[in-house]
Amino acid sequence: MSSVIASTPFSVLDRSRTREGHPPAEALRDTVRFAREVEELGYHRFWVSEHHGVPGVAGSAPTVLAAAVASATRSIRVGTGGVMLPNHQPLVVAEQFGVLESLFPGRIDMGLGRSVGFTGGVRKALGRDKDDADDFAGQLAELLDWFRGTSPTGAHAHPSEGLSVPPFVLAMGEGADIAARAGLPMVIGDLRNRERMRRGIDHYRARFRPSPWAAQPYVVISGTIAVAATPEAARRLLVPEAWSMAYSRTHGTFPPLPPAERVEQLPMTEKEFGFYEAGLGGQLAGTEEQVAHELETVLKETAADEVLVTTSTYDREALLDSYRRLASLMA
């Protein structure tokens, strides 16, 4: 057993991925059930995501889904990975998390991202455009002002004001610099591009300014980790997501997850196959011994404070088994 793995909290981000032949409602119920299962395995947090107009993701209202998850669990921390702040008014986001924290005190996390809608049609429906992400730092400051009761509007957010809901910044692009200047914990991925991830972490730590929310830097590294009895079985866990990503890159829409055996029979263009192979490469996948070795290396290289596991696949039983095997490394 690795001491660095055993001393690191491991958490879960579940994207409520839809599956071929299964309705979106089932994906949401799977997420709630999965939260109960990983709580029993000893994971630290369980986060849900925000996507709009995406056929492959059922989770379009993360604070609503987080409430369902928190209601179904007892002690695991629950949050978002994340609420995409440019899509919303900061006051409304503050109110939503204030309600969650009031109902489930001491268990709620507020993960925040700077992405806007996936397509032009979605952005139009949300009343947003790509430029709205440019003011993420200002939106973040406005959101935190509502919790501290320092909004320059003179208005007050209830029941949020005076509550402490830990904020996290999802570091994509400029996110690491924004997290550092705001003095907030940072979530950064992905494990396929270790060098880029390390540069982002170094940048964040070098520029971090202590704040009322965090006295020192806190780094959460995120990515796919697949553990199975054999390397081949672990690789097959990655197949559905890798194909969906390749399809989205070549067709402009993100589909439900197909079974691995169907993907393996599909004809692919050279371009599709290139994206597919890239999706399979660089992930942490293998047996417990292989993954433990890779994990220990990554944790020592990054000195990360926490790991957020984001694995998705078609086979729900195999997915749970992967998380169970990973949990055995934490014991």
Side-chain angles (χ1 to χ4, degrees):
M1 181 181 68
S2 165
S3 60
V4 67
I5 294 175
S7 62
T8 302
F10 280 71
S11 299
V12 177
L13 169 63
D14 189 79
R15 292 190 173 90
S16 302
R17 292 288 275 114
T18 58
R19 298 182 292 156
E20 285 186 359
H22 299 264
E26 185 175 336
L28 296 172
R29 290 192 292 268
D30 284 343
T31 290
V32 175
R33 181 168 56 251
F34 191 48
R36 290 197 294 264
E37 291 166 338
V38 300
E39 179 179 54
E40 293 299 320
L41 293 174
Y43 285 87
H44 183 50
R45 311 179 200 272
F46 189 92
W47 284 4
V48 297
S49 62
E50 174 184 339
H51 296 273
H52 300 285
V54 180
V57 182
S60 56
T63 53
V64 177
L65 185 53
V69 168
S71 294
T73 53
R74 298 185 303 275
S75 58
I76 195 169
R77 297 195 64 88
V78 176
T80 55
V83 164
M84 296 302 144
L85 197 50
N87 289 338
H88 310 281
Q89 291 297 331
L91 169 61
V92 176
V93 175
E95 290 173 335
Q96 290 171 344
F97 279 97
V99 169
L100 283 170
E101 176 64 20
S102 297
L103 291 172
F104 309 102
R107 292 182 57 202
I108 301 301
D109 299 322
M110 186 167 58
L112 305 161
R114 64 188 296 267
S115 295
V116 290
F118 186 59
T119 65
V122 169
R123 290 191 291 272
K124 183 177 180 180
L126 291 169
R128 298 292 188 270
D129 58 44
K130 288 184 178 180
D131 294 341
D132 287 309
D134 295 340
D135 190 35
F136 178 62
Q139 296 157 355
L140 184 61
E142 181 182 344
L143 172 63
L144 300 180
D145 278 344
W146 289 115
F147 285 94
R148 299 169 66 184
T150 54
S151 169
T153 64
H156 298 272
H158 301 295
S160 315
E161 190 171 309
L163 297 180
S164 181
V165 182
F168 295 75
V169 172
L170 276 61
M172 294 177 288
E174 298 176 13
D177 190 59
I178 292 170
R181 285 188 279 112
L184 300 180
M186 176 185 72
V187 182
I188 188 168
D190 64 36
L191 294 170
R192 288 176 297 180
N193 193 333
R194 311 269 181 89
E195 182 57 36
R196 182 180 179 185
M197 185 173 68
R198 285 196 296 269
R199 287 198 305 268
I201 291 171
D202 290 345
H203 181 91
Y204 166 73
R205 289 189 173 125
R207 289 162 177 77
F208 183 86
R209 302 174 184 172
S211 75
W213 303 95
Q216 57 192 18
Y218 190 89
V219 174
V220 183
I221 57 173
S222 69
T224 296
I225 304 175
V227 194
T230 65
E232 296 74 22
R235 178 182 168 87
R236 291 190 88 239
L237 281 169
L238 306 177
V239 164
E241 186 76 33
W243 180 84
S244 291
M245 290 296 294
Y247 189 91
S248 72
R249 296 288 297 274
T250 53
H251 293 78
T253 184
F254 200 62
L257 293 173
E261 55 269 22
R262 190 173 83 76
V263 174
E264 291 167 344
Q265 302 302 317
L266 286 174
M268 298 187 201
T269 66
E270 184 177 347
K271 186 176 183 180
E272 286 172 333
F273 187 72
F275 285 130
Y276 173 67
E277 284 291 302
L280 292 173
Q283 311 281 16
L284 268 63
T287 64
E288 287 95 323
E289 183 179 357
Q290 291 170 325
V291 169
H293 175 73
E294 284 291 311
L295 259 179
E296 185 169 22
T297 299
V298 173
L299 288 171
K300 287 180 177 178
E301 287 177 351
T302 62
D305 299 286
E306 188 173 334
V307 178
L308 182 67
V309 188
T310 63
T311 312
S312 298
T313 195
Y314 181 90
D315 187 334
R316 299 294 303 184
E317 287 302 317
L319 180 67
L320 178 59
D321 182 64
S322 176
Y323 277 92
R324 186 181 293 116
R325 289 174 183 272
L326 179 59
S328 72
L329 303 179
M330 299 149 42

